[in-house]
Amino acid sequence: MTPYLLRHVLKAVVTLWAIVTVTFVATRLSGNPIDTFLGEGLTAEGRQALIDYFQLDRSLWHQYLAYLRGVLSGEFGLSFVDRRPVTTVVAERLWPSGQLLLTSVALTVAVSLPLGVLAAVYRRSWIGSAVMVVAFTGYAVPSFVLAIVMVLTFSYWLNWLPVVGNGTWLHFIMPTIAMSGGLIAALTRFTRNAMLDVLGQDFIRTARAKGLRETQVVLKHGLGNASITVISVIGLQIAGLAAAGSVVVESIFSWPGVGQMLVNAAILRDYPVLQFGVIAVAVAVVSINILTDIAYALADPRIRLARA
């Protein structure tokens, strides 16, 4: 397993370096941030002082090398907007995003696994057909459309749920459903397909021939073996949710998380915050992928031996 882990760590380092480089270049193409958030009220002397402090008058190559040195030394700079270390700015947003991500993942697993099992067991009845219709419908509806529909229905028309902020548990309901809607649909389909593959195996017929209860056959032998595939899918879906889903949903519901922070930083051209925010999200996504791959390898001895 050691060479296997080393290969994944090396790939992760290269991926993160590429993300840092692309993000740095992309942010510099948008223009001078000093003129954006300070405007005409800034004197020429003050403007030049800020440019010198943030090294915006240096060449792109010098800025890139300086930024890489800062990243390697743990110095990510100050926010252009509020003059605080970007690590502090991003750290304040991590827990709200983490709360929303955890609740979304919990809802996804709690709903999609039972639905996938039902769709597989009752694949020839109306129950399985109904589950798949719901799954395909949920997969086709984007998260921002679902969020807007819920805002109009439950907040604007019915006035049942709050829209902005994260003060109470009621604030979690709509963002959680919006983030997990597509994931529930996708994981339900993958669970059904994995269960169908397992339920057709010889050892399932052997378990039934021994007189085991159908519930034990389905849950212990069926879902237990299908979970090897489901684990990898869950990891990939969580990574996608952390990378893209939070940005859209947090912006719609004004959720004080990393996603909304990245949108605001992009609008204000706050390079240091935007760059470190993207790095933080990339580290989270890469880490989730590595842990998922390791869990997938540990769950299946054949994969573990092949990759050792």
Side-chain angles (χ1 to χ4, degrees), residues 82-119:
D82 55 12
R83 310 293 194 277
R84 291 191 299 158
V86 297
T87 51
T88 302
V89 176
V90 175
E92 294 174 350
R93 303 295 191 105
L94 287 177
W95 179 234
S97 290
Q99 287 179 306
L100 186 58
L101 181 62
L102 289 175
T103 55
S104 300
V105 172
L107 179 63
T108 299
V109 174
V111 174
S112 59
L113 291 185
L115 288 181
V117 173
L118 283 176

Side-chain angles (χ1 to χ4, degrees), residues 135-210:
F136 279 111
T137 303
Y139 194 74
V141 178
S143 60
F144 69 90
V145 174
L146 180 60
I148 294 173
V149 170
M150 287 192 297
V151 168
L152 290 175
T153 303
F154 298 107
S155 181
Y156 182 74
W157 290 329
L158 299 177
N159 198 26
W160 286 355
L161 298 174
V163 179
V164 178
N166 63 338
T168 66
W169 66 271
L170 291 174
H171 290 84
F172 281 81
I173 295 178
M174 289 195 294
T176 300
I177 295 175
M179 285 189 66
S180 59
L183 296 184
I184 291 175
L187 190 57
T188 298
R189 292 173 54 223
F190 280 111
T191 303
R192 175 186 180 273
N193 293 337
M195 285 292 296
L196 288 178
D197 290 337
V198 173
L199 292 178
Q201 299 297 321
D202 292 336
F203 68 89
I204 296 293
R205 289 191 288 269
T206 302
R208 286 170 174 159
K210 290 181 177 180

Side-chain angles (χ1 to χ4, degrees), residues 221-304:
H221 298 282
L223 185 59
N225 286 274
S227 62
I228 298 175
T229 303
V230 174
I231 286 174
S232 63
V233 175
I234 291 176
L236 294 175
Q237 295 294 329
I238 293 175
L241 190 66
S246 62
V247 175
V248 176
V249 174
E250 288 182 8
S251 299
I252 294 175
F253 293 100
S254 295
W255 192 268
V258 176
Q260 186 192 44
M261 180 203 68
L262 291 177
V263 174
N264 294 335
I267 294 174
L268 297 175
R269 297 179 187 172
D270 196 348
Y271 296 160
V273 172
L274 181 59
Q275 290 168 168
F276 183 68
V278 172
I279 292 174
V281 173
V283 170
V285 171
V286 170
S287 300
I288 291 172
N289 284 333
I290 292 177
L291 293 175
T292 302
D293 212 355
I294 293 174
Y296 186 72
L298 293 175
D300 193 334
R302 296 168 299 178
I303 301 175
R304 184 167 65 252

Side-chain angles (χ1 to χ4, degrees), residues 123-147:
R123 58 188 179 276
R124 294 188 179 90
S125 70
W126 66 269
I127 297 178
S129 301
V131 170
M132 294 312 298
V133 168
V134 174
F136 279 111
T137 303
Y139 194 74
V141 178
S143 60
F144 69 90
V145 174
L146 180 60

